Amino acid sequence: MTFQEQITQGIPSVLPQPKPYDTSINHAPKRKEILSEEEKKLALKNALRYFEAKDHAELIPEFKEELRNYGRIYMYRLRPDYRMYARPISEYPGKCEQAKAIMLMIQNNLDYAVAQHPHELITYGGNGAVFSNWAQYLLTMKYLSEMTEEQTLVMYSGHPMGLFPSHSEAPRVVVTNGMMIPNYSQPDDWEKFNALGVTQYGQMTAGSYMYIGPQGIVHGTTITVLNGFRKIKKNPSGNLFVTSGLGGMSGAQPKAGTIAGCVTVCAEVNPKITRIRHEQGWIHEIHEDINELVARVRKAQQDKEIVSLAYLGNIVDVWERFDQENLHIDLGSDQTSLHNPWAGGYYPVGISFEEANAMMANNPEQFKTEVQKTLRRHADAINKHTAKGTYFFDYGNAFLLEASRAGADIMAPNGIDFRYPSYVQDIMGPMCFDYGFGPFRWVCTSGKPEDLAKTDAIACQVLEEMKKNSPAEIQQQMADNIQWIKGAQENKLVVGSQARILYADAEGRTKIAEAFNQAIAKGEIGYVVLGRDHHDVSGTDSPYRETSNIYDGSRFTADMAIQNVIGDSFRGATWVSIHNGGGVGWGEVINGGFGMVLDGSPAASRRLESMLFWDVNNGISRRSWARNEGAIFAIKRAMETQPLLKVTIPTIVDDSLL
């Protein structure tokens, strides 16, 4: 069968032969056993719903074995035989170009070069799933190949509920992931209901089909590291940034450190992903001997090298040894997947990677104890360095939150706040989000590198023109992004689809998108998919990350994310998504995203102007109402440019009166 025939077939009527477990692929760890015997039967019944009754007797023992061996039913035998990657849009079957673009984005999320655990349909973060099983993937692709512009596909946590009549201006796909009743949103609830096959963790851009590989987080991390050094008034050259994690999102850290121009040390316990990052060129060197690492760092500092060093081992050993050696760390952070601490997101010190994985599955309580002991040691070592002048920031991965739950010495003297700021509180919030700057991204659906180069040039031209008349308050943001986009090609950031990211405000996003749409209309480039990370101005309500610099008491509310996705859906988004969970954990955040296909039409111009303006200014208005100075400036400026915008501005109270 051709690729197109396999897509339109969906779940095959004749079962394919079982596939061997491929040990060369990076696999998800075994999930802990959490279902009762009756619940295991329910999980099997739920999985078998996708298949004809004639196949049930054959599939039951196979699915039972998967549930026992891996803690989930992935339906490995249904994995397609074709190569998984983002093909040019013209190669997808279908009746609707928007649907073809969505198929392209789904396959990009599952590309072996992009996905963390591709056979388990997990893109990044240890549990960020596009689908829960391969039947869902096959059925979704079939529906998209059949879709017309008068239909909308409804996605319930990876399950394609079906195609429903709608209209051409409606979103083609509406995605929800993990939307739990609040009292059932603890980590073990995810383990249980995911094992039952009734919900999934979509992370931020995994379950919304908008992940573009590590490039997205490379840019955000580059801005964070650059501004971190600015904050401590140091030039990055010859100075040291220490962190950990080389998996999905965290793999971007050493590349970002290199672009920023510092010495980077990044620890990782997983040998396979460490080698992958080295092969991809995201790290320069791998070191397994801590003594060699210490000597190498000293030389790099002395010679003012720009170099990234991976340590294959536990980050706690690095912090402790560098303290003993009095090796000064300028910037410190962590990006292990501590939103997922008990299922492979963070590993205990003093235990091998293999032993830890076995303990995680077979003795989860002991694994939790060891993780929490490690978090306490981790925090103690960081405290010793910050006492010597290290600037440490939480990188939004729930490090401080989980360390506090483990009893680590991580609280401020008031006993309420953390000792160290979130990077959003100190850097991204006041410097970027409050002014409306966030991770705007696009994908060239032709798959042609030359189209990406043309869009880079268009974006750069737009930004340089805007910078001439931009107010002083946002000159630095404009300059950083012009520098980024000029260096994007030489930094070889593309992994998977021909995609790009830069931080832009509503004006920048709209002008860049309109310039793309005009270029498409002239036949200069193919269709373009617009999107963003959920980690943005208004897409996400996350009290320990995106909205951690909201100080009016509303940071634990989620109105903004819900309003964002509702507003995007009727203002022209091609697809919208809303998720429970994300970078800081299940039950800790609500985040929304979108995708928009530009086809060169006047309708696309109208939709992009309406939707992108709302998508950003919804968040600025909320941040303004929280009395954030930069956001008050930004929303007043937005009202000057758009007469129909009328936003309530807060009155500032004289503290002396209180």
Side-chain angles (χ1 to χ4, degrees), residues 283-360:
I283 53 177
H284 293 123
E285 301 171 15
I286 299 173
H287 293 270
E288 298 185 43
D289 186 305
I290 194 79
N291 297 317
E292 290 179 6
L293 179 68
V294 168
R296 185 67 184 88
V297 170
R298 288 197 194 282
K299 184 178 186 303
Q301 288 178 312
Q302 182 179 334
D303 297 346
K304 295 190 180 300
E305 288 183 66
I306 298 173
V307 65
S308 56
L309 310 172
Y311 175 63
L312 184 52
N314 199 289
I315 183 60
V316 176
D317 292 326
V318 175
W319 282 99
E320 291 179 342
R321 185 59 182 274
F322 282 19
D323 172 55
Q324 293 163 10
E325 296 286 340
N326 208 25
L327 219 167
H328 182 67
I329 299 171
D330 299 280
L331 293 186
S333 191
D334 184 84
Q335 210 181 42
T336 50
S337 296
L338 269 162
H339 67 276
N340 182 31
W342 325 127
Y346 185 90
Y347 280 77
V349 68
I351 301 171
S352 74
F353 182 60
E354 293 75 19
E355 289 171 334
N357 279 328
M359 184 188 295
M360 187 194 312

Side-chain angles (χ1 to χ4, degrees), residues 55 71 88-89 115 119 141 195 241 279 289 305 479:
D55 297 320
I89 192 171
H119 287 190
M141 298 297 274
F241 171 46
E279 290 163 5
D289 186 305
E305 288 183 66

Side-chain angles (χ1 to χ4, degrees), residues 18 20 72 142 190 225 276 283 335 352 371 374 392 400 427 440 471-472 508 557:
R72 299 292 186 270
K142 175 180 169 64
W190 171 74
V225 172
I276 288 171
I283 53 177
Q335 210 181 42
S352 74
V371 163
T374 300
F392 183 85
L400 294 179
I427 298 171
F440 181 57
T557 66

